[in-house]
Amino acid sequence: MSFGDQIAQYVVSGLTTGAVYALVALGFCLIYNATRIVNFAQGDFLSLGGLMTYTFLTGVGLPMILAFPCAVVSVALVGAMMERLAIRPAKSRQVMVLIFITIAASILMRGIFKHLWGKDALALPPLSPEVPLRVLGATLTPQNLWVLGMTLAAIVALLWFFNRTLTGKAMRATSINPSAAALMGIDANRMTMYSFGLAGGLGALAGVLITPITSLSYEVGVIMGLKGFAAAVLGGYGSFVGAILGGLVLGLIESLSAGLISSVYKDAVAFVVLLLVLFLRPGGLMGVKSGERV
Amino acid sequence: MSRSGKRFYAGLGGLALLLALLPLAVTNPYYLNVLNVVALNVLVVIGLNLLIGYAGHISLGHAAFFGLGAYISGILTGSYGWEPWLTLVFAAAVVAVVATIIGVPTLRLKGNYLVMATLGFNLIVSVLMVQLDDITGGPSGYSGIPSLSFFGHAIVTDQSFYWLVWGAVLVGLGLARNLVHSRVGRGLKALHESPLAAAASGVPIEAYKVKVFVVSAVYASVAGSLYAHYYGIITPKTFDIFKSVELVTMCIIGGMGSLWGGLFGAGLITPLPQLLAVVEEYKDIIFGGILLVLLIFLPQGVVGWLEGKRVRPGGRAF
């Protein structure tokens, strides 16, 4: 394998994990735009997506083509429930308290997952049979293509939803100015609930796509959630374009540094780069103005 | 002395008395050990509360400072034969420098960016603790750390460590109160009330924030050093981001911005996992559930709740 082929291979795997980070980062953005909080349970939506697919496949016996959407929808419902049962009844609107509510929800959810699915790693088959393709010297598996294609599809669907549907426009209006939106008769609580639902669905999608490549267990989402959070911050928190860009950049940096330098520090590299970016450009890559700086 | 000052020192005296009497009732080494771990957490939380309650910043990286204190103390005494008390001070100085280097750029960030920066710092330190295994002992940890001694008496028993660590808590509380009522503390309070007015009155906001951040990191470092000499063994898992989350949880549950809050928060949260060990299978579910309910219904923390009770009947505080 020539050096060029190696680079091509690192780019392919970097873009694949990067696309998954982007999906998780988009989930963070949705909830941030609706509530200004960081949802630390975003990674658990990812775990649950994989686990639910596993159950629909082996427990219920559905074919993959049905198990996949069923998992995404069920996690979306869990996301909406989280808003309804934990965020909405909260006595405090302080962002710090709300963030910690999501952390508590994350601990609770992980406990439930561990109880229901056990501690051991489970296996999820790829979405289609593995026939490797060779493109520009790199080996591409169909799962790589599924990840990239589904991420692209999800982004297009989100764009359509926010620009073309009434609910999507109402959600955008609420995120820009909640009181003005309320005056127009938009139910802000419901919009927040939809945001959590969408974020749950996106997390689950990421989970179904990535777990055949990595592994599936009750806590697989923790580190993926953190990387997604890092991607969102890298891109400029709250910006959709930033989330996608941040995810891809983070995936590429990780894959190239693991391949060319050492895989031992892979998890640290992403955060070192992130800190450097934050120090030099506090608003993230897409932060137009340094609005988050005091 | 002001009335709040009198109340504070009365409280401190009461606490000292309670702590002096407690070992008469608690002689079981297991319970003493729990009390000692509570004290170590209280120390970190006092510092963290200065940052959260007074500077209004959240840090999800304080377990890293806790860990740096523990590892520096452990390695220098274990591998290089340094004097334990000296390394405790040296570790605190190193952590102060690290906190300044981290604090100057990150404290200009706000909200989610600061959370991410401190979280990222913690992750990097965790990875280093695991990967630099020639120095740190890797994932299985670093052992053979000598214990502290006091005038020739080695502090090896749970009982003797009890006196040391709770003494440190009393000193820590006193120092924190002085800081809150110093120029820096007043400046930060002004900043909370009105950033614009504070800046206009010439409060050097960024320098003050960095100072509080460094002080809070030093509290964590000292607690870490004490931890290392108490247990004699340290592992990276003790200082990961989950520990950071736990520490901030103690701040919130106890009451943000109250120096006493740390006592309640650490006192409630620390023994919980041990108590729940009986129901191992459901431990995380119950712990997460309790946390969730407390945060939803009691967001002002235990201290805020107690004060709220006192205020409510008359409708105003007096």
Side-chain angles (χ1 to χ4, degrees):
Chain A
M1 209 169 172
S2 75
F3 185 68
D5 290 355
Q6 269 184 37
I7 296 288
Q9 192 64 53
Y10 298 146
V11 169
V12 167
S13 61
L15 286 177
T16 309
T17 38
V20 175
Y21 294 162
L23 284 176
V24 181
L26 282 171
F28 277 112
C29 278
L30 278 169
I31 291 182
Y32 176 78
N33 286 342
T35 58
R36 306 288 143 191
I37 65 177
V38 180
N39 171 30
F40 274 89
Q42 192 64 35
D44 300 295
F45 292 155
L46 185 147
S47 307
L48 186 60
L51 293 169
M52 287 306 285
T53 312
Y54 177 84
T55 295
F56 281 120
L57 276 176
T58 58
V60 184
L62 292 180
M64 186 49 121
I65 196 157
L66 288 176
F68 185 0
C70 282
V72 172
V73 170
S74 58
V75 181
L77 289 175
V78 170
M81 247 168 62
M82 184 178 148
E83 190 279 334
R84 191 67 192 79
L85 299 178
I87 301 294
R88 204 183 298 181
K91 297 264 180 240
S92 166
R93 287 291 111 190
Q94 241 187 309
V95 168
M96 222 182 278
V97 172
L98 292 178
I99 289 179
F100 266 76
I101 286 179
T102 71
I103 291 183
S106 162
I107 297 172
L108 177 68
M109 277 159 77
R110 270 206 303 283
I112 295 173
F113 299 168
K114 194 162 75 179
H115 185 65
L116 293 178
W117 281 280
K119 275 185 189 175
D120 302 328
L122 305 167
L124 208 59
L127 290 178
S128 58
E130 293 290 79
V131 192
L133 312 161
R134 285 191 67 81
V135 181
L136 295 169
T139 309
L140 227 72
T141 65
Q143 188 69 19
N144 287 132
L145 295 175
W146 274 114
V147 173
L148 294 170
M150 295 295 273
T151 304
L152 195 66
I155 292 167
V156 171
L158 274 180
L159 281 177
W160 172 80
F161 176 74
F162 279 114
N163 291 314
R164 291 276 177 274
T165 67
L166 199 61
T167 316
K169 285 179 190 168
M171 281 171 75
R172 269 174 55 209
T174 313
S175 87
I176 295 166
N177 190 337
S179 37
L183 285 174
M184 301 301 289
I186 296 170
D187 181 348
N189 276 334
R190 181 178 294 181
M191 295 307 133
T192 308
M193 193 168 82
Y194 288 163
S195 301
F196 271 81
L198 265 181
L202 280 174
L205 180 63
V208 183
L209 293 173
I210 196 69
T211 40
I213 298 176
T214 58
S215 69
L216 174 62
S217 78
Y218 74 99
E219 56 176 5
V220 69
V222 175
I223 194 76
M224 295 298 288
L226 288 175
K227 299 276 180 67
F229 181 21
V233 169
L234 189 61
Y237 216 92
S239 148
F240 278 23
V241 185
I244 297 160
L245 193 69
L248 294 177
V249 168
L250 202 63
L252 280 175
I253 290 171
E254 235 182 49
S255 166
L256 287 169
S257 72
L260 300 176
I261 306 165
S262 157
S263 63
V264 171
Y265 295 102
K266 196 185 107 191
D267 283 343
V269 163
F271 292 100
V272 171
V273 172
L274 179 80
L275 287 185
L276 289 177
V277 171
L278 283 185
F279 293 167
L280 300 173
R281 207 181 146 81
L285 295 175
M286 294 303 288
V288 185
K289 54 182 175 9
S290 49
E292 283 280 341
R293 203 165 163 165
V294 236
Chain B
M1 196 187 289
S2 69
R3 209 168 60 184
S4 81
K6 275 187 192 137
R7 254 179 57 194
F8 177 82
Y9 287 105
L12 207 60
L15 179 65
L17 192 66
L18 179 73
L19 288 171
L21 294 175
L22 210 52
L24 296 176
V26 184
T27 45
N28 181 332
Y30 175 75
Y31 293 119
L32 270 177
N33 171 261
V34 173
L35 280 174
N36 290 344
V37 181
V38 169
L40 288 168
N41 285 333
V42 171
L43 261 186
V44 188
V45 173
I46 293 170
L48 198 51
N49 219 339
L50 288 174
L51 183 71
I52 295 178
Y54 294 92
H57 280 301
I58 201 164
S59 160
L60 283 183
H62 262 53
F65 294 125
F66 186 50
L68 280 176
Y71 269 91
I72 294 171
S73 275
I75 292 166
L76 287 180
T77 51
S79 300
Y80 298 94
W82 283 39
E83 156 64 26
W85 287 111
L86 180 70
T87 53
L88 182 139
V89 176
F90 180 74
V94 173
V95 166
V97 173
V98 174
T100 311
I101 294 169
I102 299 290
V104 168
T106 48
L107 289 167
R108 284 186 316 209
L109 305 169
K110 215 176 83 183
N112 298 330
Y113 294 85
L114 184 69
V115 171
M116 189 70 241
T118 51
L119 196 78
F121 167 66
N122 205 149
L123 275 162
I124 293 165
V125 171
S126 290
V127 169
L128 289 178
M129 283 173 184
V130 173
Q131 298 300 345
L132 297 173
D133 52 359
D134 292 345
I135 309 168
T136 62
S140 50
Y142 184 90
S143 59
I145 304 165
S147 50
L148 290 158
S149 61
F150 206 66
F151 293 114
H153 297 285
I155 301 171
V156 278
T157 60
D158 294 310
Q159 178 97 48
S160 53
F161 189 76
Y162 172 89
W163 297 113
L164 173 71
V165 72
W166 280 102
V169 166
L170 291 176
V171 173
L173 274 171
L175 288 177
R177 186 181 190 272
N178 281 347
L179 181 79
V180 169
H181 288 263
S182 71
R183 178 190 286 269
V184 175
R186 286 196 302 271
L188 288 171
K189 209 169 164 191
L191 175 69
H192 251 199
E193 303 286 326
S194 161
L196 218 60
S201 332
V203 175
I205 297 164
E206 293 197 359
Y208 278 11
K209 281 185 192 163
V210 174
K211 269 185 192 150
V212 172
F213 187 68
V214 170
V215 168
S216 74
V218 167
Y219 269 85
S221 169
V222 171
S225 295
L226 291 174
Y227 177 95
H229 293 297
Y230 177 43
Y231 279 100
I233 176 165
I234 44 182
T235 56
K237 239 183 114 52
T238 319
F239 313 108
D240 61 10
I241 50 161
F242 296 106
K243 179 71 183 179
S244 285
V245 168
E246 195 185 288
L247 290 166
V248 182
T249 308
M250 289 174 185
C251 275
I252 297 180
I253 295 292
M256 282 182 280
S258 156
L259 289 176
W260 301 111
L263 281 170
F264 289 102
L268 281 174
I269 306 278
T270 311
L272 211 49
Q274 265 112 332
L275 292 175
L276 293 175
V278 218
V279 280
E280 183 60 38
E281 178 96 353
Y282 301 96
K283 203 176 86 179
D284 297 338
I285 302 179
I286 299 174
F287 182 68
I290 292 176
L291 211 59
L292 199 57
V293 169
L294 282 175
L295 288 167
I296 292 174
F297 297 105
L298 220 67
Q300 73 278 46
V302 175
V303 169
W305 177 67
L306 289 173
E307 285 177 349
K309 281 271 166 175
R310 200 167 53 234
V311 173
R312 208 165 290 153
R316 65 195 175 95
F318 52 87

